[in-house]
Amino acid sequence: QVQLVESGGGLVQPGGSLRLSCAASGIDFRLYAMGWYRQAPGKQREWVARITRLPSTSTNYADSVKGRATISRDNAKKTVYLQMNSLKPEDTAVYYCSADRPATGGVYWGQGTQVTVST
């Protein structure tokens, strides 16, 4: 059974930082590209960042977070991270982890973790 479990969300003041984690199980983590998406109230889910599988592990970011976010992965721990700095109120959303494997078309999602940026 595939599971992606996010953690690290919470309430943070504008300008603050958070590190989100997503622990994967039930998949060969090394074969999957990993991503983060978010969904704000009343809005569609939007892509935030993606990191490819080995050997390249290249990263890409949405313009809205570029320069403020860093995605990374630890294949030994089967975990992907999203470091978010200089948080803004508009970053408030439920953040979801995804795992995708283009070779097979498989895509998996986590349940999400709430991030609220507010005073």
Side-chain angles (χ1 to χ4, degrees), residues 2-40:
V2 178
Q3 280 193 312
L4 300 176
V5 180
E6 300 97 335
S7 61
L11 175 64
V12 62
Q13 291 189 342
S17 299
L18 278 178
R19 189 176 82 153
L20 305 181
S21 301
C22 171
S25 60
I27 59 172
D28 189 341
F29 186 77
R30 302 166 301 168
L31 300 181
Y32 284 76
M34 302 298 295
W36 287 95
Y37 289 72
R38 66 187 182 185
Q39 187 166 18

Side-chain angles (χ1 to χ4, degrees), residues 4 8 32 43 46 60 79 91 94 102 114 116:
L4 300 176
Y32 284 76
K43 295 187 177 181
E46 65 171 358
N60 296 94
T79 300
D91 293 318
V94 177
Q114 176 71 47
T116 302

Side-chain angles (χ1 to χ4, degrees), residues 48-110:
V48 175
R50 187 172 185 266
I51 184 167
T52 59
R53 53 171 285 186
L54 289 172
S56 62
T57 58
S58 62
T59 58
N60 296 94
Y61 300 92
D63 288 343
S64 58
V65 302
K66 197 170 292 184
R68 301 188 296 120
T70 303
I71 187 171
S72 60
R73 63 189 295 161
D74 185 330
N75 290 321
K77 294 182 178 179
K78 298 184 179 181
T79 300
V80 62
Y81 305 97
L82 182 69
Q83 176 71 41
M84 293 281 293
N85 301 321
S86 302
L87 284 161
K88 306 174 182 180
E90 51 264 43
D91 293 318
T92 295
V94 177
Y95 283 70
Y96 296 91
C97 170
S98 72
D100 72 272
R101 187 179 177 189
T104 62
V107 181
Y108 301 100
W109 294 93

